[in-house]
Amino acid sequence: MATASEDSESTYEQFLDHVRRLHYVEDAGGVLNWDQQVMMPDAGTPARAKQTSAISTLHHDLLTDDDLADWLDELDDADLDPEQEAVVREVRRDHERATRVPADLVERLSEASSNALPVWKEAKAEDDFDAFADTLEDLVELRREYAAAIDPDRDPYEVLFEEYEPYLGIDTAEEVLTNLRDALVPLIDDIADSDVTLADPFEGTYDDDDTQHDLVETALDTLGYDWDRGRLDTAPHPFSMGTQFDARVTTRFTPEDPLDALGSTIHEFGHATYTLGLPQEAYGTPLGDNRDLSVHESQSRFWENHVGRSRSFWDFFTETANDHLGTDATAQQFYEAFNEVYDDNLIRVEADELTYHMHIIVRFEIERDLIRGDLDVEDVPGVWNDKMEEYLGIRPDTDAEGCLQDIHWTNGAFGYFPTYTLGSVLAAQLDHHARQDIDGFDDHVRAGEFGPIHDWLTENVHQHGARYRTDDLVEEATGESFTAEHFLDYAEEKYRALYDC
């Protein structure tokens, strides 16, 4: 006769096998999404929409399966070790949310998102918000329906935010955004009043994509990207996706500013190196999965801002950049050019480190009001432009450089944007502690030795997968609670020195 312990072990193994299949199906959907954005011809959309819809429905069916519910109930009273408890916690949370959402709604959401992509692309290319308005209205309604299915008695935007950051809370996000707005606006104003003009070593345009492609490819080599488990492509909106066995990055090229592609590539490298650093033996379970988007964004922002935008990086990388671009700039000139604070920046992905967060606040406030029913879709362009003028002092001339610039709403990803700022804040916190733990941090960067940084991040963040809640992972990695203090200190010190203000 089997003992209670043996019964629990058998139940857990059946449960884990099911969880792995869940992850495999989800990852297959991710590859289809990558292909649609990078490789698929535009005419493939009708079939791809059906394919992704089928994948989403299958994933939903597996997540809401009665057997899974029974195993979760049985494991409630089982004697599990901490890692097993973490797996059960994460799956239970996803299962409980999914069981409240009808399968037909999941299918409609997936199909609507796939069909929305080419509509958004064309609307953006034609600078025609009206051509996208009905599609956006449908996505907003579907997401409201989704939030109401999960919890009809809570703020729908809060419910959606928890899709991307389940543990820090919307109150934390709003507090951080408010604190950064209050602290950064005076700093940005002081910079605008400064007489300092930062260097611009670029002349003309860099229209040859091969030149920029070779530069960013060399940067990936230098930083330690594993080409056996990755690849580099272009996409209208740079992104990274994959698993610890296959983590791909994309970028895009701007003829007037080759540092734009370099920055976005290093950013996506940060995402990919987190994914590649997840434990391989745990693939298919929460222990081998990332800890949601705030932590994911902290890794991309860490590499982009605290490494790529540092003076020590340019002490190392300047000769390489000059060789590829045909420039004759100094390390200080590259450093200044890569950290200029723009007074006329309209595009979020091209924004500097400081004004970037004003872009996030604009999007956060608009999508929150859309989901709550406090803003009509037809009013989005005007409200967007008004907020850009209020927060950044600039007003878009077109919707293509305004409310049509981001892909997120096309994917139905309402609630995603705050994680960008939360991730930036966490990146600064991780950087502060990494510099305390790694002797000669800047000396390593200056010598092109990035191994110690990879090792620190793997030990303190990557190897844990989703074992810890976000707040617990921050405590585990840094010995303190999540805080914006380090980001604000970093921003003040760096930019007041650059602009002598």
Side-chain angles (χ1 to χ4, degrees):
M1 181 177 178
T3 65
S5 177
E6 289 171 337
D7 286 342
S8 294
E9 184 176 339
S10 175
T11 298
Y12 185 80
E13 287 304 316
Q14 294 177 76
F15 159 79
L16 199 60
D17 182 62
H18 189 93
V19 169
R20 290 189 179 108
R21 283 187 286 136
L22 260 172
H23 277 77
Y24 302 158
V25 168
E26 185 175 29
D27 289 343
V31 175
L32 288 178
N33 182 264
W34 171 88
D35 177 73
Q36 183 173 8
Q37 295 193 54
V38 177
M39 302 292 290
M40 190 190 81
D42 290 340
T45 299
R48 182 53 46 86
K50 298 296 184 184
Q51 294 158 6
T52 56
S53 175
I55 288 284
S56 295
T57 301
L58 175 57
H59 181 268
H60 182 76
D61 289 345
L62 288 168
L63 190 53
T64 58
D65 188 271
D66 290 340
D67 286 339
L68 180 60
D70 291 341
W71 289 323
L72 286 168
D73 288 342
E74 291 178 41
L75 292 170
D76 269 342
D77 300 321
D79 184 18
L80 304 176
D81 64 38
E83 290 192 346
Q84 292 172 328
E85 288 177 348
V87 172
V88 171
R89 178 196 69 222
E90 294 299 314
V91 175
R92 178 181 286 112
R93 181 185 176 281
D94 290 343
H95 168 77
E96 289 177 350
R97 286 173 71 90
T99 53
R100 300 186 179 111
V101 181
D104 75 295
L105 176 54
V106 174
E107 187 172 351
R108 285 186 286 132
L109 266 167
S110 178
E111 190 166 348
S113 295
S114 288
N115 285 327
L117 183 60
V119 177
W120 166 73
K121 283 183 178 179
E122 184 173 355
K124 182 180 179 182
E126 298 296 326
D127 183 30
D128 184 5
F129 178 80
D130 289 343
F132 183 60
D134 288 345
T135 296
L136 180 58
E137 182 70 51
D138 289 343
L139 290 167
V140 169
E141 290 296 334
L142 285 168
R143 277 299 174 186
R144 285 178 185 154
E145 188 178 345
Y146 180 88
I150 292 174
D151 193 335
D153 298 323
R154 291 175 61 208
D155 170 14
Y157 187 75
E158 181 178 6
V159 174
L160 296 180
F161 170 73
E162 290 170 354
E163 291 278 300
Y164 309 103
E165 177 44 69
Y167 295 120
L168 287 181
I170 191 65
D171 290 345
T172 296
E174 291 182 324
E175 180 182 356
V176 166
L177 287 167
T178 300
N179 288 344
L180 264 61
R181 182 184 61 201
D182 292 346
L184 294 183
V185 167
L187 175 58
I188 293 168
D189 287 344
D190 288 346
I191 289 171
D193 293 337
S194 171
D195 294 330
V196 172
T197 300
L198 299 189
D200 180 7
F202 306 112
E203 296 180 1
T205 61
Y206 299 79
D207 296 306
D208 183 0
D209 282 357
D210 288 342
T211 296
Q212 293 198 46
H213 185 280
D214 291 346
L215 174 66
V216 300
E217 191 175 68
T218 301
L220 290 174
D221 280 335
T222 298
L223 293 170
Y225 187 51
D226 186 349
W227 293 101
D228 290 336
R229 295 186 288 161
R231 56 180 289 130
L232 171 66
D233 294 279
T234 58
H237 191 102
F239 69 102
S240 172
M241 59 74 60
T243 71
Q244 46 268 73
F245 300 97
D246 173 8
R248 309 173 187 187
V249 299
T250 65
T251 193
R252 68 180 183 186
F253 303 116
T254 304
E256 297 80 12
D257 182 10
L259 292 185
D260 178 50
L262 182 64
S264 70
T265 304
I266 296 175
H267 180 99
E268 300 307 334
F269 163 81
H271 283 303
T273 198
Y274 177 25
T275 302
L276 293 173
L278 296 168
Q280 294 187 5
E281 69 277 5
Y283 172 59
T285 80
L287 297 177
D289 205 358
N290 68 81
R291 176 65 289 162
D292 300 304
L293 291 185
S294 297
V295 176
H296 226 313
E297 189 65 15
S298 77
Q299 302 308 286
S300 60
R301 286 289 167 182
F302 182 101
W303 284 99
E304 178 190 359
N305 293 336
H306 298 279
V307 176
R309 294 185 190 275
S310 70
R311 171 56 198 263
S312 54
F313 178 79
W314 285 102
D315 286 340
F316 163 72
F317 199 67
T318 288
E319 183 177 351
T320 299
N322 279 328
D323 287 346
H324 280 85
L325 299 175
T327 49
D328 187 25
T330 65
Q332 181 64 21
Q333 287 174 320
F334 273 122
Y335 172 63
E336 291 182 9
F338 212 12
N339 286 285
E340 181 181 359
V341 176
Y342 304 107
D343 58 7
D344 60 351
N345 185 273
L346 292 165
I347 308 300
R348 177 184 63 85
V349 296
E350 298 173 2
D352 58 81
E353 212 174 351
L354 297 186
T355 61
Y356 180 86
H357 299 287
M358 301 302 106
H359 286 262
I360 297 303
I361 291 169
V362 167
R363 289 150 177 79
F364 162 67
E365 293 179 349
I366 288 177
E367 69 176 17
R368 179 192 60 193
D369 291 348
L370 277 173
I371 295 298
R372 288 177 175 172
D374 296 331
L375 176 66
D376 293 332
V377 165
E378 64 183 14
D379 295 327
V380 165
V383 172
W384 179 291
N385 295 345
D386 289 344
K387 287 182 179 293
M388 287 290 288
E389 190 165 20
E390 178 183 357
Y391 297 150
L392 287 164
I394 51 177
R395 193 173 186 89
D397 291 326
T398 69
D399 292 333
E401 62 184 11
C403 60
L404 286 174
Q405 66 181 266
D406 290 306
I407 197 173
H408 301 64
W409 295 339
T410 301
N411 295 333
F414 300 94
Y416 190 122
F417 280 116
T419 65
Y420 284 123
T421 288
L422 295 175
S424 295
V425 165
L426 179 54
Q429 188 171 351
L430 292 171
D431 175 70
H432 174 82
H433 289 278
R435 290 174 182 275
Q436 290 185 331
D437 293 344
I438 300 173
D439 290 337
F441 184 104
D442 282 314
D443 291 336
H444 285 296
V445 173
R446 202 169 282 115
E449 299 169 351
F450 299 102
I453 301 174
H454 281 285
D455 292 345
W456 191 92
L457 290 170
T458 298
E459 178 182 352
N460 290 283
V461 179
H462 305 171
Q463 69 162 335
H464 298 304
R467 175 179 177 177
Y468 300 109
R469 293 163 42 111
T470 308
D471 45 355
D472 293 334
L473 178 61
V474 174
E475 188 85 36
E476 185 77 16
T478 69
E480 63 178 351
S481 300
F482 181 79
T483 175
E485 175 186 347
H486 299 296
F487 176 83
L488 293 173
D489 288 346
Y490 157 80
E492 284 278 337
E493 180 180 350
K494 176 179 178 178
Y495 284 96
R496 290 200 181 279
L498 271 167
Y499 280 92
D500 192 25
C501 62

PDB file of all heavy atoms in Angstrom, residues 85-86 141 149 160 222 244 293-294 300 328 333 349 364 392 481 491:
ATOM      1  N   GLU A  85       6.615  23.899  -3.839  1.00  0.00           N
ATOM      2  CA  GLU A  85       5.582  24.843  -3.399  1.00  0.00           C
ATOM      3  C   GLU A  85       5.505  26.042  -4.343  1.00  0.00           C
ATOM      4  O   GLU A  85       4.413  26.540  -4.643  1.00  0.00           O
ATOM      5  CB  GLU A  85       5.883  25.319  -1.978  1.00  0.00           C
ATOM      6  CG  GLU A  85       5.659  24.265  -0.902  1.00  0.00           C
ATOM      7  CD  GLU A  85       6.043  24.769   0.483  1.00  0.00           C
ATOM      8  OE1 GLU A  85       6.688  25.848   0.565  1.00  0.00           O
ATOM      9  OE2 GLU A  85       5.712  24.088   1.473  1.00  0.00           O
ATOM     10  N   ALA A  86       6.655  26.502  -4.812  1.00  0.00           N
ATOM     11  CA  ALA A  86       6.681  27.640  -5.729  1.00  0.00           C
ATOM     12  C   ALA A  86       6.009  27.283  -7.053  1.00  0.00           C
ATOM     13  O   ALA A  86       5.248  28.091  -7.616  1.00  0.00           O
ATOM     14  CB  ALA A  86       8.115  28.091  -5.964  1.00  0.00           C
ATOM     15  N   GLU A 141     -12.604  46.495 -25.717  1.00  0.00           N
ATOM     16  CA  GLU A 141     -13.801  45.807 -25.240  1.00  0.00           C
ATOM     17  C   GLU A 141     -13.491  44.372 -24.834  1.00  0.00           C
ATOM     18  O   GLU A 141     -13.991  43.876 -23.806  1.00  0.00           O
ATOM     19  CB  GLU A 141     -14.882  45.833 -26.319  1.00  0.00           C
ATOM     20  CG  GLU A 141     -15.495  47.204 -26.561  1.00  0.00           C
ATOM     21  CD  GLU A 141     -16.240  47.735 -25.344  1.00  0.00           C
ATOM     22  OE1 GLU A 141     -16.719  46.920 -24.524  1.00  0.00           O
ATOM     23  OE2 GLU A 141     -16.336  48.973 -25.206  1.00  0.00           O
ATOM     24  N   ALA A 149     -14.324  38.959 -16.415  1.00  0.00           N
ATOM     25  CA  ALA A 149     -14.459  37.516 -16.208  1.00  0.00           C
ATOM     26  C   ALA A 149     -13.602  37.056 -15.032  1.00  0.00           C
ATOM     27  O   ALA A 149     -14.015  36.184 -14.247  1.00  0.00           O
ATOM     28  CB  ALA A 149     -14.061  36.767 -17.482  1.00  0.00           C
ATOM     29  N   LEU A 160      -5.774  43.629 -15.261  1.00  0.00           N
ATOM     30  CA  LEU A 160      -4.932  43.447 -16.439  1.00  0.00           C
ATOM     31  C   LEU A 160      -3.460  43.684 -16.117  1.00  0.00           C
ATOM     32  O   LEU A 160      -2.582  42.982 -16.632  1.00  0.00           O
ATOM     33  CB  LEU A 160      -5.387  44.385 -17.561  1.00  0.00           C
ATOM     34  CG  LEU A 160      -6.792  44.136 -18.116  1.00  0.00           C
ATOM     35  CD1 LEU A 160      -7.106  45.133 -19.223  1.00  0.00           C
ATOM     36  CD2 LEU A 160      -6.933  42.704 -18.626  1.00  0.00           C
ATOM     37  N   THR A 222      30.636  40.868 -28.289  1.00  0.00           N
ATOM     38  CA  THR A 222      31.429  41.422 -27.195  1.00  0.00           C
ATOM     39  C   THR A 222      30.781  41.183 -25.840  1.00  0.00           C
ATOM     40  O   THR A 222      31.436  40.834 -24.860  1.00  0.00           O
ATOM     41  CB  THR A 222      31.625  42.936 -27.415  1.00  0.00           C
ATOM     42  OG1 THR A 222      32.347  43.142 -28.634  1.00  0.00           O
ATOM     43  CG2 THR A 222      32.382  43.564 -26.263  1.00  0.00           C
ATOM     44  N   GLN A 244      15.377  29.199 -22.734  1.00  0.00           N
ATOM     45  CA  GLN A 244      16.791  29.086 -22.386  1.00  0.00           C
ATOM     46  C   GLN A 244      17.586  28.289 -23.431  1.00  0.00           C
ATOM     47  O   GLN A 244      18.809  28.252 -23.376  1.00  0.00           O
ATOM     48  CB  GLN A 244      16.980  28.461 -20.996  1.00  0.00           C
ATOM     49  CG  GLN A 244      16.166  27.227 -20.708  1.00  0.00           C
ATOM     50  CD  GLN A 244      14.851  27.564 -20.060  1.00  0.00           C
ATOM     51  OE1 GLN A 244      13.949  28.079 -20.701  1.00  0.00           O
ATOM     52  NE2 GLN A 244      14.722  27.267 -18.774  1.00  0.00           N
ATOM     53  N   LEU A 293       7.415  40.630 -16.025  1.00  0.00           N
ATOM     54  CA  LEU A 293       7.984  41.660 -16.887  1.00  0.00           C
ATOM     55  C   LEU A 293       8.790  42.732 -16.175  1.00  0.00           C
ATOM     56  O   LEU A 293       9.695  43.318 -16.765  1.00  0.00           O
ATOM     57  CB  LEU A 293       6.876  42.301 -17.715  1.00  0.00           C
ATOM     58  CG  LEU A 293       6.272  41.366 -18.772  1.00  0.00           C
ATOM     59  CD1 LEU A 293       5.267  42.111 -19.629  1.00  0.00           C
ATOM     60  CD2 LEU A 293       7.354  40.767 -19.653  1.00  0.00           C
ATOM     61  N   SER A 294       8.496  43.031 -14.930  1.00  0.00           N
ATOM     62  CA  SER A 294       9.315  44.036 -14.235  1.00  0.00           C
ATOM     63  C   SER A 294      10.752  43.549 -14.111  1.00  0.00           C
ATOM     64  O   SER A 294      11.702  44.300 -14.355  1.00  0.00           O
ATOM     65  CB  SER A 294       8.737  44.334 -12.851  1.00  0.00           C
ATOM     66  OG  SER A 294       7.459  44.889 -12.940  1.00  0.00           O
ATOM     67  N   SER A 300      17.095  44.085 -19.249  1.00  0.00           N
ATOM     68  CA  SER A 300      17.387  44.842 -20.471  1.00  0.00           C
ATOM     69  C   SER A 300      17.871  46.246 -20.142  1.00  0.00           C
ATOM     70  O   SER A 300      18.812  46.757 -20.766  1.00  0.00           O
ATOM     71  CB  SER A 300      16.152  44.899 -21.366  1.00  0.00           C
ATOM     72  OG  SER A 300      15.073  45.522 -20.705  1.00  0.00           O
ATOM     73  N   ASP A 328      35.690  59.289 -36.071  1.00  0.00           N
ATOM     74  CA  ASP A 328      36.958  59.499 -35.365  1.00  0.00           C
ATOM     75  C   ASP A 328      36.656  60.171 -34.035  1.00  0.00           C
ATOM     76  O   ASP A 328      37.204  61.217 -33.697  1.00  0.00           O
ATOM     77  CB  ASP A 328      37.901  60.363 -36.212  1.00  0.00           C
ATOM     78  CG  ASP A 328      39.287  60.467 -35.589  1.00  0.00           C
ATOM     79  OD1 ASP A 328      39.660  59.549 -34.826  1.00  0.00           O
ATOM     80  OD2 ASP A 328      39.969  61.485 -35.841  1.00  0.00           O
ATOM     81  N   GLN A 333      33.127  61.595 -26.313  1.00  0.00           N
ATOM     82  CA  GLN A 333      32.139  62.045 -27.289  1.00  0.00           C
ATOM     83  C   GLN A 333      31.042  60.996 -27.493  1.00  0.00           C
ATOM     84  O   GLN A 333      29.853  61.327 -27.564  1.00  0.00           O
ATOM     85  CB  GLN A 333      32.821  62.358 -28.617  1.00  0.00           C
ATOM     86  CG  GLN A 333      33.644  63.641 -28.583  1.00  0.00           C
ATOM     87  CD  GLN A 333      34.419  63.865 -29.862  1.00  0.00           C
ATOM     88  OE1 GLN A 333      34.979  62.931 -30.447  1.00  0.00           O
ATOM     89  NE2 GLN A 333      34.459  65.110 -30.314  1.00  0.00           N
ATOM     90  N   VAL A 349      10.832  54.515 -28.006  1.00  0.00           N
ATOM     91  CA  VAL A 349      11.986  53.615 -28.104  1.00  0.00           C
ATOM     92  C   VAL A 349      13.255  54.357 -28.480  1.00  0.00           C
ATOM     93  O   VAL A 349      14.341  53.781 -28.445  1.00  0.00           O
ATOM     94  CB  VAL A 349      11.721  52.461 -29.100  1.00  0.00           C
ATOM     95  CG1 VAL A 349      10.596  51.576 -28.604  1.00  0.00           C
ATOM     96  CG2 VAL A 349      11.424  52.984 -30.500  1.00  0.00           C
ATOM     97  N   PHE A 364       0.494  55.007 -19.808  1.00  0.00           N
ATOM     98  CA  PHE A 364      -0.169  54.434 -18.641  1.00  0.00           C
ATOM     99  C   PHE A 364      -1.500  55.126 -18.376  1.00  0.00           C
ATOM    100  O   PHE A 364      -2.538  54.475 -18.180  1.00  0.00           O
ATOM    101  CB  PHE A 364       0.759  54.552 -17.423  1.00  0.00           C
ATOM    102  CG  PHE A 364       0.070  54.396 -16.101  1.00  0.00           C
ATOM    103  CD1 PHE A 364      -0.476  53.187 -15.717  1.00  0.00           C
ATOM    104  CD2 PHE A 364      -0.026  55.484 -15.227  1.00  0.00           C
ATOM    105  CE1 PHE A 364      -1.112  53.056 -14.489  1.00  0.00           C
ATOM    106  CE2 PHE A 364      -0.662  55.356 -14.003  1.00  0.00           C
ATOM    107  CZ  PHE A 364      -1.209  54.137 -13.636  1.00  0.00           C
ATOM    108  N   LEU A 392       6.171  66.674 -21.748  1.00  0.00           N
ATOM    109  CA  LEU A 392       7.452  66.733 -22.451  1.00  0.00           C
ATOM    110  C   LEU A 392       7.650  68.028 -23.233  1.00  0.00           C
ATOM    111  O   LEU A 392       8.718  68.244 -23.799  1.00  0.00           O
ATOM    112  CB  LEU A 392       7.584  65.529 -23.399  1.00  0.00           C
ATOM    113  CG  LEU A 392       7.842  64.185 -22.703  1.00  0.00           C
ATOM    114  CD1 LEU A 392       7.572  63.029 -23.653  1.00  0.00           C
ATOM    115  CD2 LEU A 392       9.268  64.118 -22.182  1.00  0.00           C
ATOM    116  N   SER A 481      14.187  45.899   0.250  1.00  0.00           N
ATOM    117  CA  SER A 481      12.923  45.921  -0.462  1.00  0.00           C
ATOM    118  C   SER A 481      13.046  46.739  -1.746  1.00  0.00           C
ATOM    119  O   SER A 481      13.963  47.547  -1.909  1.00  0.00           O
ATOM    120  CB  SER A 481      11.826  46.519   0.421  1.00  0.00           C
ATOM    121  OG  SER A 481      11.650  45.770   1.602  1.00  0.00           O
ATOM    122  N   ALA A 491      20.317  58.867 -11.447  1.00  0.00           N
ATOM    123  CA  ALA A 491      19.939  59.858 -12.452  1.00  0.00           C
ATOM    124  C   ALA A 491      20.474  61.243 -12.084  1.00  0.00           C
ATOM    125  O   ALA A 491      21.013  61.964 -12.937  1.00  0.00           O
ATOM    126  CB  ALA A 491      18.424  59.893 -12.608  1.00  0.00           C
TER     127      ALA A 491
END
